[in-house]
């Protein structure tokens, strides 16, 4: 089956999909993105991602290229045309095409919009979640606006590559105080040695994860208490359990940090339960 991509108003064969060389996303990483998990052909946590997209665009003073309803049509059509039932849909919006100049184009130019979708083998990812995954840690080297979901991801790319080389799925950034900020493409959580479920508060310089937000609601419903406060790498290494959340990994148990086993090297029961609960909720509310 041939893949297709959405590029500025048209669906084109994936292999031929292209943007201009003077697109500001290409020249300056002057753009933002979102990723939705797809369950049964529908978008998970749809509104949360739309809200964050609008916020990211607002922070960069990029005029939204279309309203939510139109965007939902584009995303769902990308999903449908690629015959994705279980997978991901990606959206990127940049400031558009203009002769290279650091300052914004004047007058404003139309934003560039692209979308792609691909399938995920849930049997494979469920098996991985059963086993759990490893993380390594790297120094926090990113800018002070990690709350904006920009395509400027070079520190994340380098951290992820370091993880991949070490046989880990994720790299956690650790700041100068020894506190874990978040993963290269996920939020970080632990159950500390006193049994408290913890993840960093979103006042910190991290992305306000939408999977995180939905999981917080699920946890409140289940009567699970969460402490939204930072944890150190030392606390993480002594934690009872650890896991990460994101549209790509959903809720993924972590079984080692820098080579040191967590929960005896096995996926923790709470993390596994939260994964199941999150997926049930995301499937139930997907649109
Ligand atoms: N990444 N932190 C960072 C730095 C991320 O890039 C992501 C998501 C998250 C989790 O956010 P959410 O739960 O909304 O997916 C946290 C996406 C999946 C990516 O870059 O592919």
């Amino acid at each position: 089956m041939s893949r297709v991509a959405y590029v500025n108003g048209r669906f084109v064969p994936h292999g031929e999909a292209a943007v201009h060389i003077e697109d500001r996303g290409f020249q300056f990483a002057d753009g933002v993105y979102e990723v939705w998990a797809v369950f049964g052909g529908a978008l998970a946590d749809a509104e949360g991602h739309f809200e964050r997209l609008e916020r990211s665009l607002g922070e960069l003073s990029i005029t939204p290229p279309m309203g939510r309803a139109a965007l939902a049509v584009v995303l769902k059509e990308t999903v449908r045309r690629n015959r994705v039932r279980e997978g991901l849909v990606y959206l990127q919006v940049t400031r558009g095409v203009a002769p290279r100049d650091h300052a914004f184009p004047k007058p404003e130019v139309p934003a560039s919009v692209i979308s792609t979708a691909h399938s995920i083998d849930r049997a494979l990812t469920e098996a991985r979640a059963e086993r759990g995954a490893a993380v390594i840690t790297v120094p926090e080297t990113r800018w002070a606006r990690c709350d904006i979901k920009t395509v400027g991801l070079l520190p994340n790319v380098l951290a992820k590559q370091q993880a991949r080389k070490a046989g880990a799925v994720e790299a956690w950034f650790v700041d100068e105080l020894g506190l874990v900020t978040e993963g290269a493409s996920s939020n970080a959580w632990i159950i500390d040695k006193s049994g408290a479920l913890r993840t960093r508060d979103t006042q910190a310089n991290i992305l306000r994860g939408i999977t995180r937000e939905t999981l917080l609601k699920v946890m409140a419903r289940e009567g699970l208490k969460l402490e939204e406060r930072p944890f150190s790498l030392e606390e993480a290494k002594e934690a009872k359990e650890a896991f990460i959340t994101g549209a790509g990994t959903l809720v993924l148990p972590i079984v080692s940090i820098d080579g040191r086993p967590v929960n005896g090297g096995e996926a923790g029961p709470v993390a596994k339960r939260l994964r199941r609960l999150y997926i049930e909720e995301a499937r139930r509310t997907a649109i």
Side-chain angles (χ1 to χ4, degrees), residues 186-261:
S186 60
N187 289 114
W189 306 62
I190 60 166
I191 300 172
D192 73 16
K193 67 179 181 193
S194 77
L197 200 39
R198 285 165 67 182
T199 194
R200 192 150 194 172
D201 58 278
T202 49
Q203 297 312 108
N205 184 31
I206 63 170
L207 188 74
R208 296 166 194 182
I210 304 303
T211 316
R212 176 191 184 283
E213 214 172 274
T214 297
L215 192 60
L216 290 183
K217 285 183 205 143
V218 169
M219 284 167 46
R221 207 169 54 204
E222 293 291 311
L224 291 166
K225 217 172 115 282
L226 174 87
E227 293 180 22
E228 283 187 76
R229 65 182 171 96
F231 56 85
S232 68
L233 175 55
E234 287 318 306
E235 287 175 304
K237 285 185 172 168
E238 291 176 2
K240 290 189 167 154
E241 294 190 32
F243 56 97
I244 57 175
T245 58
T249 45
L250 309 176
V251 178
L252 181 63
I254 294 305
V255 295
S256 89
I257 301 172
D258 287 338
R260 181 182 168 129

Side-chain angles (χ1 to χ4, degrees), residues 33 35 49 52 142 149 156 182-187 207 209-212 245-248:
Y33 74 106
V35 180
H49 287 283
R52 187 174 62 190
R142 298 173 304 161
K149 199 163 173 60
N156 309 56
E182 63 179 329
S185 62
S186 60
N187 289 114
L207 188 74
I210 304 303
T211 316
R212 176 191 184 283
T245 58

Side-chain angles (χ1 to χ4, degrees), residues 3-277:
R3 291 182 68 196
V4 292
Y6 173 88
V7 185
N8 293 327
R10 293 194 310 139
F11 284 95
V12 293
H14 190 270
E16 292 163 27
V19 292
H20 193 273
I21 57 164
E22 286 196 311
D23 191 283
R24 290 180 61 97
F26 180 61
Q27 298 277 8
F28 297 115
D30 188 1
V32 303
Y33 74 106
E34 277 297 333
V35 180
W36 287 256
V38 176
F39 290 108
L43 310 179
D45 297 330
E47 289 302 311
H49 287 283
F50 285 133
E51 263 165 40
R52 187 174 62 190
L53 172 70
E54 286 162 9
R55 180 178 178 279
S56 295
L57 289 169
E59 292 299 308
L60 301 186
S61 307
I62 296 176
T63 304
M66 57 186 101
R68 274 189 207 189
L71 202 50
V73 170
V74 167
L75 295 171
K76 288 172 84 97
E77 193 59 13
T78 307
V79 166
R80 192 187 69 78
R81 287 187 188 226
N82 287 284
R83 297 199 174 88
V84 173
R85 300 297 300 164
E86 301 292 317
L88 287 178
V89 59
Y90 175 84
L91 175 82
Q92 184 172 326
V93 180
T94 77
R95 199 181 305 279
V97 176
R100 187 175 183 279
D101 176 6
H102 288 66
F104 298 174
K106 209 172 152 208
E108 207 176 314
V109 294
S112 300
V113 186
I114 68 100
S115 178
T116 56
H118 71 262
S119 297
I120 287 179
D121 182 343
R122 295 264 184 237
L124 272 182
T125 52
E126 284 313 308
R128 184 176 72 173
E130 266 307 304
R131 290 192 304 274
V135 297
I136 60 157
T137 61
V138 297
E140 178 63 272
T141 52
R142 298 173 304 161
W143 73 330
R145 293 306 310 272
C146 295
D147 58 306
I148 307 173
K149 199 163 173 60
T150 92
V151 294
L153 288 173
L154 200 44
N156 309 56
V157 165
L158 297 179
K160 190 70 97 176
Q161 180 58 21
Q162 209 172 310
R164 196 59 51 83
K165 266 168 61 186
V169 298
E170 183 58 302
W172 279 357
F173 291 110
V174 178
D175 70 14
E176 72 281 5
L177 300 173
L179 302 172
V180 174
T181 55
E182 63 179 329
S185 62
S186 60
N187 289 114
W189 306 62
I190 60 166
I191 300 172
D192 73 16
K193 67 179 181 193
S194 77
L197 200 39
R198 285 165 67 182
T199 194
R200 192 150 194 172
D201 58 278
T202 49
Q203 297 312 108
N205 184 31
I206 63 170
L207 188 74
R208 296 166 194 182
I210 304 303
T211 316
R212 176 191 184 283
E213 214 172 274
T214 297
L215 192 60
L216 290 183
K217 285 183 205 143
V218 169
M219 284 167 46
R221 207 169 54 204
E222 293 291 311
L224 291 166
K225 217 172 115 282
L226 174 87
E227 293 180 22
E228 283 187 76
R229 65 182 171 96
F231 56 85
S232 68
L233 175 55
E234 287 318 306
E235 287 175 304
K237 285 185 172 168
E238 291 176 2
K240 290 189 167 154
E241 294 190 32
F243 56 97
I244 57 175
T245 58
T249 45
L250 309 176
V251 178
L252 181 63
I254 294 305
V255 295
S256 89
I257 301 172
D258 287 338
R260 181 182 168 129
V262 177
N263 189 45
E266 295 200 350
V270 177
K272 287 206 287 194
R273 174 158 171 253
L274 290 175
R275 178 179 177 87
R276 185 173 52 74
L277 291 172

